Amino acid sequence: MFNPMLSVSKELPEKYLKMSTEELENHIQSIKDELGDRLFMPTHHYQKDEVVQFADITGDSLELARICKENTAAEYFVFNGVHFMAETADILTDDSQDIYLPDLSAGCSMADMANITQALHGYDVLTKEYNLDILPLTYVNSTAAIKKFVGEHGGSCVTSGNAKSVVDWALKQGKVILFLPDQHLGRNTAYDLGIPLEQMAVWDPIAKELVYEGKVEDLRIVLWKGHCSVHEKFHKAHIDLARERDPEINVIVHPECEFEVVQAADYAGSTRYIIETIKNAPKGSRWLIGTEMNLVNRLKATYTDIQIDSLNPLMCSCLTMNRIDLPHLAWCLDKILDGNRDNIIKVDAETTKYAKESLDRMLSIT
Ligand code: 13P
Ligand code: SF4
């Protein structure tokens, strides 16, 4: 039966929209069976259930990066996630392995907040005008070009699962950190490591200015003015209101949330940390979670002996993560069988060389 809830992409051939959920699922499963170990489907925790059911492995950004690097056998990776994750997988895998992204429009608004021209300009101003000895770090939620820039300058990638170890490593290098592109993960992590807010500045790539009131010689970290458009929807007022209604409520959030939210929450950590905490929560306990909605709903459906809700009752899913659905997955798998290479994400050799340095540095630190 035709399902009107399926997302419609302009280019998606009509035949996939006309297939019922059952037909799509059978089609996907039969191609998976046919390709066997030649195909590998890493899938981020923020993906829809309809996609997660076909995952060979689910994980957060750090786990998926590691798993892709370790899998030297698969010929085709279908990456159920967003563009920067597929790029990371391509950088970490062998040249002969192809990484497919089922919908090429599955980007990340945070990664788009730092382009390479802006990064080079910011670096220039900070090093030449402010005379700062800069060590760049980038959240993996960034383009391959940004990862290359970071690798070329001796820096490292970080993910929410290892941010503390990587920022700690960077602080010990005695330089001023430039943390791209998520100001919140950078601020939350540096504060956790004992850096006061007064020693943090913000680089605004649009206004092209450094926002900082202290003395330049006291500066420890420059935060790129970027954020996640999903996690910015959680506010301290949500926590205050929830605690007024239920003083015993537990609040757990992702460190992409703003500083005030992370400070007010009981727990903060990567998607893996959130999943583990909920898994180990005492029966009957009550939780509000500040992260992407597909994951919150999955946790709610899995752990029925505890009470789980979104910290923001009006929250919706990450729109770009949600672009991957059954029709796009079926279409992508058909392309693999047909030898159609449209959905392959390939990072050029020069970018790969240095971007890999920043990823390998991260993997060796953690
Ligand atoms: P992690 O997978 O590192 O928790 O990051 C969440 C996220 O926003 C991915 O886009
Ligand atoms: Fe990007 Fe935020 Fe979506 Fe993750 S949840 S893909 S950071 S917009």
Side-chain angles (χ1 to χ4, degrees):
M1 203 182 70
F2 175 65
N3 183 348
M5 295 307 284
L6 295 173
S7 67
V8 179
S9 151
K10 267 187 213 142
E11 295 139 45
L12 185 74
E14 220 182 311
K15 79 169 200 189
Y16 296 102
L17 291 170
K18 287 188 173 151
M19 288 167 81
S20 68
T21 299
E22 197 186 347
E23 283 167 342
L24 285 163
E25 287 176 343
N26 290 341
H27 189 64
I28 291 167
Q29 192 56 54
S30 74
I31 299 177
K32 276 202 81 181
D33 292 345
E34 184 179 338
L35 290 173
D37 288 346
R38 297 171 67 202
L39 172 70
F40 185 60
M41 284 216 226
T43 302
H44 193 270
H45 289 306
Y46 290 169
Q47 289 287 297
K48 293 175 176 178
D49 286 347
E50 67 186 49
V51 173
V52 167
Q53 66 176 320
F54 292 108
D56 288 315
I57 186 96
T58 51
D60 64 12
S61 309
L62 177 59
E63 292 165 317
L64 295 179
R66 279 194 201 286
I67 282 155
C68 289
K69 190 180 159 89
E70 281 160 17
N71 187 331
T72 50
E75 288 169 54
Y76 316 108
F77 288 63
V78 171
F79 207 113
N80 298 316
V82 291
H83 194 272
F84 73 79
M85 295 180 177
E87 277 189 338
T88 300
D90 182 52
I91 293 164
L92 291 173
T93 50
D94 195 80
D95 261 1
S96 62
Q97 299 175 295
D98 287 328
I99 316 295
Y100 289 75
L101 184 63
D103 186 337
L104 293 174
S105 59
C108 165
S109 54
M110 179 202 284
D112 291 343
M113 288 177 197
N115 69 42
I116 189 61
T117 312
Q118 292 170 326
L120 292 173
H121 173 258
Y123 182 79
D124 234 40
V125 174
L126 295 171
T127 51
K128 293 186 182 144
E129 287 181 28
Y130 288 90
N131 219 10
L132 295 170
D133 189 9
I134 291 284
L135 180 66
L137 297 180
T138 186
Y139 193 15
V140 287
N141 300 27
S142 54
T143 64
I146 295 289
K147 292 184 177 81
K148 171 179 185 265
F149 156 76
V150 167
E152 277 175 322
H153 291 87
S156 173
C157 286
V158 323
T159 78
S160 55
N162 62 18
K164 218 167 157 180
S165 320
V166 178
V167 173
D168 190 38
W169 165 83
L171 286 169
K172 287 180 178 143
Q173 310 303 304
K175 299 188 176 199
V176 177
I177 298 171
L178 169 62
F179 192 99
L180 301 110
D182 183 13
Q183 60 169 313
H184 302 307
L185 181 65
R187 185 178 291 111
N188 289 323
T189 309
Y191 189 81
D192 239 23
L193 287 163
I195 306 298
L197 296 180
E198 297 72 41
Q199 292 190 306
M200 303 185 199
V202 172
W203 174 257
D204 183 336
I206 307 293
K208 299 184 178 173
E209 65 180 22
L210 188 68
V211 183
Y212 182 56
E213 284 171 5
K215 288 192 227 144
V216 173
E217 52 275 26
D218 293 336
L219 189 52
R220 302 292 303 280
I221 180 162
V222 178
L223 307 162
W224 190 268
K225 196 178 177 190
H227 64 268
C228 165
S229 41
V230 172
H231 291 91
E232 72 160 354
K233 303 281 188 301
F234 299 106
H235 303 294
K236 184 172 174 291
H238 289 126
I239 302 181
D240 294 342
L241 187 65
R243 289 215 174 108
E244 234 175 82
R245 289 181 181 153
D246 180 358
E248 299 299 310
I249 197 89
N250 296 285
V251 179
I252 185 164
V253 300
H254 195 281
E256 286 174 19
C257 292
E258 58 189 23
F259 181 72
E260 291 68 25
V261 173
V262 170
Q263 287 304 304
D266 299 299
Y267 310 89
S270 71
T271 48
R272 179 193 163 82
Y273 172 83
I274 293 173
I275 292 166
E276 286 298 312
T277 308
I278 294 296
K279 193 168 136 192
N280 296 314
K283 275 197 178 112
S285 55
R286 298 181 296 282
W287 292 80
L288 289 177
I289 307 182
T291 197
E292 200 274 344
M293 216 44 210
N294 285 325
L295 176 58
V296 175
N297 284 334
R298 192 169 309 118
L299 290 170
K300 197 176 161 83
T302 309
Y303 300 103
T304 47
D305 54 2
I306 58 178
Q307 186 190 304
I308 297 174
D309 286 296
S310 172
L311 176 57
N312 177 346
L314 302 176
M315 197 63 194
C316 54
S317 307
C318 171
L319 291 177
T320 49
M321 284 278 180
N322 259 11
R323 296 206 66 94
I324 316 294
D325 53 14
L326 290 179
H328 284 88
L329 197 48
W331 187 30
C332 181
L333 290 169
D334 274 340
K335 285 182 182 178
I336 293 178
L337 291 187
D338 294 346
N340 177 327
R341 299 176 61 83
D342 283 356
N343 285 52
I344 295 179
I345 304 296
K346 267 279 174 246
V347 179
D348 67 82
E350 172 76 1
T351 305
T352 295
K353 184 175 167 220
Y354 292 103
K356 190 167 180 309
E357 277 184 28
S358 64
L359 283 163
D360 282 343
R361 201 164 284 129
M362 168 185 87
L363 294 172
S364 72
I365 294 168
T366 51

